[in-house]
Amino acid sequence: MKYCLLLCGMLISSMVIGQDKSEKESSNEFSGSMTKAKNYALDVINKTSEIFSETVYATYYANKFEGRKTTSGVRYRAKKLTAAHLTLPFGTIVTVTNPINGKSVDVEINDRGPHSKKFAIDVSAAAAKALGFYGKGVAKLEISYLPETE
């Protein structure tokens, strides 16, 4: 294994040393595109720094809701990673994290609810299982999402 890595390293270095002027110019173009990629990545990081995050109480859908239509018109499926929220637009992807065990899952908002002042989000059974609170009924979770910009 060490021999292979050493041989690969020598091949790469000999290729770089043996470049003629036109190859070096194209290499500089590649370097320029890499700089553009780094700048783009920084822009994405700066935009995502506007992510909204809060800790809320959550619950999950009861089994009786399986197959029923949600407010958005699609049918609730316990095996899908979906959720209900009172104000977020349908289709919003929300990252839900359980701070107790560090488990995290992305859910799509496709319903309205929960209709209680205590809870901020209802997640599907699959999401509750992935987060590790299925069977407990209630959990204090952190939700984060990128607010809709106009």
Side-chain angles (χ1 to χ4, degrees):
M1 183 71 175
K2 288 181 182 179
Y3 178 74
C4 180
L5 292 175
L6 179 64
L7 183 61
C8 290
M10 290 185 339
L11 284 171
I12 291 171
S13 63
S14 67
M15 290 170 62
V16 171
I17 292 170
Q19 285 181 336
D20 64 5
K21 187 175 180 180
S22 65
E23 288 175 335
K24 286 183 181 176
E25 287 172 0
S26 67
S27 174
N28 286 341
E29 289 174 14
F30 177 73
S31 175
S33 66
M34 287 302 290
T35 303
K36 290 177 186 174
K38 287 179 186 175
N39 289 340
Y40 177 76
L42 289 174
D43 288 342
V44 170
I45 290 169
N46 288 338
K47 288 179 183 173
T48 57
S49 65
E50 300 169 5
I51 291 176
F52 181 79
S53 181
E54 67 178 330
T55 302
V56 298
Y57 283 101
T59 187
Y60 57 91
Y61 283 85
N63 291 335
K64 71 178 184 179
F65 292 105
E66 177 67 31
R68 292 187 186 179
K69 281 192 177 182
T70 62
T71 309
S72 67
V74 299
R75 295 197 181 276
Y76 167 72
R77 298 292 178 215
K79 293 181 180 180
K80 302 260 182 169
L81 296 175
T82 59
H85 192 277
L86 282 175
T87 58
L88 290 176
F90 294 137
T92 302
I93 302 298
V94 178
T95 302
V96 184
T97 305
N98 187 340
I100 293 172
N101 59 20
K103 294 181 179 181
S104 182
V105 68
D106 289 340
V107 296
E108 181 180 354
I109 302 297
N110 71 347
D111 201 5
R112 291 290 171 231
H115 300 286
S116 163
K117 291 181 181 180
K118 182 176 180 178
F119 302 108
I121 193 167
D122 279 333
V123 298
S124 65
K129 288 175 184 176
L131 292 166
F133 79 98
Y134 187 82
K136 295 177 183 166
V138 178
K140 195 171 187 179
L141 306 174
E142 181 180 322
I143 61 170
S144 56
Y145 55 91
L146 190 59
E148 190 176 85
T149 55
E150 293 181 17

